Amino acid sequence: MTDEITVIPGDGIGQEVTPAAVDVLESLEIEFAFHEADAGDHVKEETGEALPAETYDLAASTDATLFGAAGETAADVILPLREAVGSFVNVRPAKAYPGVDALRPDTDLVFLRENTEGVYSGHENRLSDDLSTLTRVVTSSASEQLAEFACEFVADGGYDGFHVAHKANVMRETDGRFRDSVLAVAEERGVETEEVLMDAFATHVCLDPTQFDVVVCPNLAGDVLSDLAAGLVGGLGMLPSANIGPERGLFEPVHGSAPDIAGEGIANPAATIISAAMLLEYLGHDDDGQAVRSAVEGVLEDGPRTPDLGGDASTDDVTDAVIDRL
Amino acid sequence: MTDEITVIPGDGIGQEVTPAAVDVLESLEIEFAFHEADAGDHVKEETGEALPAETYDLAASTDATLFGAAGETAADVILPLREAVGSFVNVRPAKAYPGVDALRPDTDLVFLRENTEGVYSGHENRLSDDLSTLTRVVTSSASEQLAEFACEFVADGGYDGFHVAHKANVMRETDGRFRDSVLAVAEERGVETEEVLMDAFATHVCLDPTQFDVVVCPNLAGDVLSDLAAGLVGGLGMLPSANIGPERGLFEPVHGSAPDIAGEGIANPAATIISAAMLLEYLGHDDDGQAVRSAVEGVLEDGPRTPDLGGDASTDDVTDAVIDRL
Ligand SMILES: CC(C)[C@H](C(=O)O)[C@@H](O)C(=O)O
Ligand SMILES: CC(C)[C@H](C(=O)O)[C@@H](O)C(=O)O
């Protein structure tokens, strides 16, 4: 069966790292049908809309979408795309690789970020000249779905359990619901859990990241804490991510469009290629996914390396080196 | 004129570090009237309420309050106390000190955290068995008051300008209002500003904290990002804070009650003593405040040090060494 993949390079270095990841996928013995689609600042400039309906529809109908990056319009592109694939969790591994300079080389974490609600639910109101409000939404159903996923993730990955990060000491009703729902599912499934306040997590992950493996978080907490972990492993250039839905997924590096280096052919494709490995695993090609991961890790360790990692290789050099190892 | 100070040791190591800071204040040639008041878990156990009305009233009527820490009831104690003193900004310096092991020894930041609204405004609703909501509140008036303070802070401290951290790409109306209000005041005052998304800040402060000096943030962003900075400078044990209102202030270390080491007499009093230095400066005793700061910095550099900093000194040893330097 052919896997149907939407490919959205987007803006800036998205135009470089996305084709790189597609090259890696094409080098495998798997039959893919790629559907290239457009989105981002450059589309908005031309058409007034950052995310064309055709792009949305493709993401909503193919098996998986590989997305590069968007510039100023990132939120207009990525949030609807996450919805298009019906994703309820954003899986964000943050791992320090041998050979890559990291503030905390002992970091090896996976964030499981709630992907549909919290402050992202989009209910904002301008109530007066002075006052605006946002309605933060938390449901037990979304929290439980995330927790079910977390329990399976922990079992599949051979982890001991997971942490739940929240701020239920202040957001008692909403994060209280989040926490209670997640803990109830875990208890039922016999998965060990530990709670951590999101602010305390920010301190403790710096002091000793080895305390944590899998961290289940509300939407914004997952956004900020995973970016913090990116700082510990040497920058956003290294973080892949997978937005998982029941029937489709969206795979994207955590980094942005990096306009400062766009067009120079020196963008680090590692995060996008590892995102493609997550896509492979999502589609059931576990061995290929694992092979791609290992190939990237080998290249990160031995080179060639792009300038952000202290080397002088191009995006293509790195991509070729990954393919050579497959 | 005698300065009236409410002293609330609270729970755990609050009972040790707060008297230490009071000893330092008493060693100065300033006339204080101290009013000791109770709050925290141990009060709740006895009376059912973590924050007695008398304690609230004292904080609401004296010139300044020095607070240690609270355990499980921290939110029930600290949030009303911040309100009691009418504080609109929480000033949180995060500085790495010579002689103290820090992940990023080049960290020297001050967070100016909005202290009254955002997700802290306390409007939560259980709308159904499945759904809870929280109303996040942002007003131009509170944002502007914070910005006015930031502009003065920058001028007094000789800083070039400040960063505004926010998530206005997602919370367009509320953080948009926050950002626009802050930037408008700064522009009017001729203060330079730069915007940074709160998630990007989390990455970049790890990669290079010297990019930032003063960071103005909404309430929860300030909570999490300052705790992150605590991780970069070697732990919460080092962070003082000042909750500033127009007529009174509340001064507290950022750390908690540390039940694991409470009662042993080995808690690090540095953050509380520096909080007392901020209290002195707030009350106009600038030279004394500066002297206390320098004394603490000298002791941090040369010792004696408490066990959290690798030494074997007691809280009293450190406090005496600070007083000796005054
Ligand atoms: C661009 C933005 C809407 C997005 C988010 O906040 O989720 C980004 O920061 C991310 O983490 O993927
Ligand atoms: C205890 C809690 C309510 C408080 C906060 O969130 O403000 C604490 O984390 C802090 O930073 O002082």
Side-chain angles (χ1 to χ4, degrees):
Chain A
M1 219 182 61
T2 307
D3 293 307
E4 306 281 333
I5 314 282
T6 301
V7 178
I8 312 172
D11 296 316
I13 63 167
Q15 294 282 349
E16 300 159 46
V17 295
T18 317
V22 170
D23 285 349
V24 172
L25 291 175
E26 283 189 321
S27 76
L28 303 169
E29 318 250 295
I30 304 176
E31 221 181 291
F32 291 112
F34 292 105
H35 306 270
E36 182 138 345
D38 220 353
D41 295 3
H42 69 278
V43 183
K44 185 167 185 182
E45 259 161 53
E46 282 164 36
T47 68
E49 275 213 294
L51 184 66
E54 310 87 78
T55 302
Y56 182 97
D57 291 344
L58 266 178
S61 57
T62 50
D63 300 309
T65 296
L66 187 66
F67 172 66
E72 295 296 318
T73 57
D76 299 317
V77 173
I78 199 81
L79 300 180
L81 282 179
R82 287 180 187 156
E83 186 202 277
V85 302
S87 79
F88 56 86
V89 56
N90 189 330
V91 181
R92 301 196 156 192
K95 178 172 168 178
Y97 293 102
V100 176
D101 239 15
L103 189 58
R104 292 257 27 160
D106 48 354
T107 306
D108 189 359
L109 297 168
V110 183
F111 295 90
L112 302 179
R113 169 184 177 187
E114 199 287 318
N115 218 15
T116 64
E117 48 187 38
V119 297
Y120 283 73
S121 23
H123 306 298
E124 289 191 295
N125 289 292
R126 183 183 167 82
L127 297 186
S128 79
D129 271 2
D130 190 46
L131 172 66
S132 296
T133 60
L134 176 152
T135 303
R136 180 175 196 263
V137 171
V138 175
T139 63
S140 298
S141 38
S143 310
E144 284 160 9
Q145 193 176 17
L146 175 67
E148 301 279 357
F149 182 88
C151 291
E152 274 171 45
F153 188 89
V154 157
D156 290 352
Y159 295 102
D160 289 336
F162 62 81
H163 279 83
V164 194
H166 59 73
K167 187 82 189 176
N169 58 339
V170 170
M171 301 189 271
R172 293 177 188 205
E173 178 58 36
T174 51
D175 264 15
R177 184 186 282 277
F178 176 80
R179 176 198 54 200
D180 294 348
S181 305
V182 170
L183 294 180
V185 168
E187 193 176 351
E188 204 175 291
R189 299 290 207 93
V191 173
E192 273 178 47
T193 51
E194 215 170 305
E195 290 181 55
V196 59
L197 291 170
M198 69 181 284
D199 50 334
F201 178 87
T203 306
H204 290 295
V205 75
C206 293
L207 298 179
D208 179 13
T210 66
Q211 296 170 71
F212 306 103
D213 290 315
V214 177
V215 188
V216 173
C217 331
N219 210 338
L220 183 66
D223 178 48
V224 178
L225 299 179
S226 63
D227 269 25
L228 156 52
L232 301 180
V233 304
L236 285 169
M238 306 308 301
L239 263 63
S241 85
N243 300 277
I244 304 285
E247 286 171 61
R248 16 197 145 263
L250 166 67
F251 303 83
E252 41 154 351
V254 174
H255 64 67
S257 63
D260 50 320
I261 60 159
E264 295 182 33
I266 55 163
N268 182 354
T272 314
I273 300 177
I274 304 176
S275 301
M278 296 175 88
L279 177 153
L280 288 166
E281 288 159 2
Y282 178 73
L283 294 176
H285 306 296
D286 286 354
D287 293 345
D288 293 282
Q290 195 46 57
V292 170
R293 253 173 222 283
S294 308
V296 175
E297 292 184 17
V299 172
L300 287 172
E301 183 155 6
D302 303 332
R305 298 201 183 97
T306 44
D308 57 307
L309 301 181
D312 57 7
S314 69
T315 308
D316 286 345
D317 295 338
V318 173
T319 309
D320 292 344
V322 170
I323 293 172
D324 279 349
R325 284 178 180 252
L326 286 170
Chain B
M1 220 184 60
T2 309
D3 293 308
E4 307 281 333
I5 314 282
T6 301
V7 177
I8 313 173
D11 295 316
I13 62 166
Q15 295 282 348
E16 299 160 46
V17 295
T18 317
V22 170
D23 286 348
V24 172
L25 291 176
E26 283 189 320
S27 77
L28 303 170
E29 317 250 295
I30 303 175
E31 221 181 291
F32 291 112
F34 292 105
H35 305 270
E36 183 138 344
D38 220 353
D41 295 2
H42 68 280
V43 183
K44 185 167 184 180
E45 257 161 54
E46 282 164 35
T47 68
E49 276 214 294
L51 184 65
E54 310 88 76
T55 302
Y56 183 96
D57 292 344
L58 265 176
S61 58
T62 51
D63 299 309
T65 296
L66 187 66
F67 172 65
E72 294 297 317
T73 57
D76 299 316
V77 172
I78 199 82
L79 300 181
L81 282 179
R82 287 180 187 156
E83 186 202 276
V85 303
S87 80
F88 56 87
V89 55
N90 189 330
V91 181
R92 300 194 157 195
K95 178 173 169 178
Y97 293 102
V100 176
D101 239 15
L103 190 57
R104 293 260 23 163
D106 48 355
T107 306
D108 188 0
L109 296 168
V110 183
F111 294 90
L112 302 180
R113 169 183 178 188
E114 200 286 319
N115 218 14
T116 64
E117 49 187 37
V119 297
Y120 283 74
S121 22
H123 306 297
E124 289 191 295
N125 289 292
R126 184 184 167 82
L127 298 185
S128 79
D129 271 2
D130 190 46
L131 172 66
S132 296
T133 61
L134 176 150
T135 303
R136 180 175 195 263
V137 171
V138 175
T139 64
S140 299
S141 38
S143 310
E144 284 161 9
Q145 191 177 17
L146 174 67
E148 300 280 357
F149 181 88
C151 290
E152 274 172 44
F153 188 89
V154 158
D156 290 352
Y159 295 102
D160 290 335
F162 62 80
H163 278 83
V164 194
H166 60 74
K167 188 82 189 176
N169 59 337
V170 171
M171 301 189 271
R172 292 176 188 206
E173 177 59 36
T174 50
D175 264 15
R177 183 187 283 277
F178 175 79
R179 177 198 54 201
D180 295 347
S181 304
V182 170
L183 293 180
V185 168
E187 193 176 351
E188 203 176 291
R189 300 289 207 94
V191 172
E192 273 179 47
T193 51
E194 215 170 304
E195 289 181 55
V196 59
L197 290 170
M198 69 181 284
D199 49 335
F201 178 87
T203 305
H204 290 295
V205 74
C206 293
L207 298 178
D208 179 13
T210 67
Q211 296 170 69
F212 305 103
D213 291 315
V214 177
V215 188
V216 174
C217 331
N219 210 338
L220 183 66
D223 177 48
V224 178
L225 299 179
S226 63
D227 268 25
L228 156 52
L232 300 180
V233 304
L236 285 169
M238 306 309 302
L239 263 64
S241 85
N243 300 278
I244 305 285
E247 287 171 60
R248 16 196 146 264
L250 165 68
F251 302 84
E252 42 154 350
V254 174
H255 64 67
S257 63
D260 49 321
I261 59 158
E264 295 182 33
I266 55 164
N268 181 353
T272 313
I273 300 177
I274 304 176
S275 301
M278 297 176 87
L279 177 153
L280 288 166
E281 288 158 2
Y282 178 73
L283 295 176
H285 306 297
D286 286 355
D287 294 345
D288 293 283
Q290 196 45 58
V292 170
R293 254 173 220 283
S294 307
V296 175
E297 292 185 19
V299 172
L300 287 171
E301 185 155 5
D302 303 332
R305 298 201 183 95
T306 44
D308 57 308
L309 301 181
D312 57 8
S314 68
T315 308
D316 287 345
D317 295 338
V318 173
T319 309
D320 292 343
V322 170
I323 293 172
D324 280 348
R325 283 177 180 254
L326 287 171

